[in-house]
Amino acid sequence: MDIEEFFETMPFADMLGVEVTEAADGHAEGRIEMRPELSWNADRLMAHGGVTFTLADTVGGAALVSLVDQSVPTIDMRIDYLDVGSGDLYAEADVVRSGGDVGTVDVEVYAAEDDTLVADARGVYKTG
């Protein structure tokens, strides 16, 4: 499975502009370029929480797909928003556990401008 191509053809992530830039061996990275329609604030570009969540979820899924070579629907994701994402964002994800029924992935989302940690997440995905 071509992981980057798989995630490029995901309509929702594509609409938001989520780009998976790397996915191999249980690790994935991705990014999203901020634009006004993704902001919760009309006066300043500040990522809506749903945008940050979608980036984390998509990159987390890509990390697990890189190990199991199949789609992995999200079962649960917990996210802590730690700072404002005021510009482009990037995420890094690492698989914690890949089992026959579920996999667990840790994800960190950063502001690209200054590498500020914006959010910390843990996703659980169906693998079997």
Side-chain angles (χ1 to χ4, degrees):
M1 171 186 289
D2 183 333
I3 298 167
E4 285 85 1
E5 183 179 322
F6 174 78
F7 285 96
E8 285 173 8
T9 60
M10 186 181 296
F12 183 65
D14 185 51
M15 178 190 70
L16 291 180
V18 174
E19 178 185 358
V20 174
T21 57
E22 179 183 330
D25 303 320
H27 175 82
E29 298 179 10
R31 60 181 304 278
I32 189 165
E33 186 176 314
M34 271 302 295
R35 52 190 200 275
E37 58 270 26
L38 301 180
S39 182
W40 66 267
N41 186 316
D43 298 325
R44 185 172 155 217
L45 281 181
M46 300 171 83
H48 184 281
V51 172
T52 306
F53 185 95
T54 299
L55 176 62
D57 185 35
T58 304
V59 175
L64 192 54
V65 167
S66 75
L67 289 180
V68 300
D69 200 36
Q70 66 183 31
S71 61
V72 291
T74 307
I75 295 171
D76 184 54
M77 178 163 272
R78 184 190 186 305
I79 189 165
D80 291 316
Y81 297 98
L82 306 171
D83 208 334
V84 174
S86 59
D88 296 349
L89 303 175
Y90 72 92
E92 297 179 357
D94 290 293
V95 174
V96 175
R97 179 184 184 277
S98 178
D101 293 322
V102 298
T104 305
V105 182
D106 283 342
V107 187
E108 293 180 330
V109 179
Y110 297 90
E113 180 177 82
D114 58 7
D115 296 324
T116 299
L117 183 61
V118 172
D120 186 41
R122 176 164 275 198
V124 179
Y125 302 85
K126 183 169 176 44
T127 59

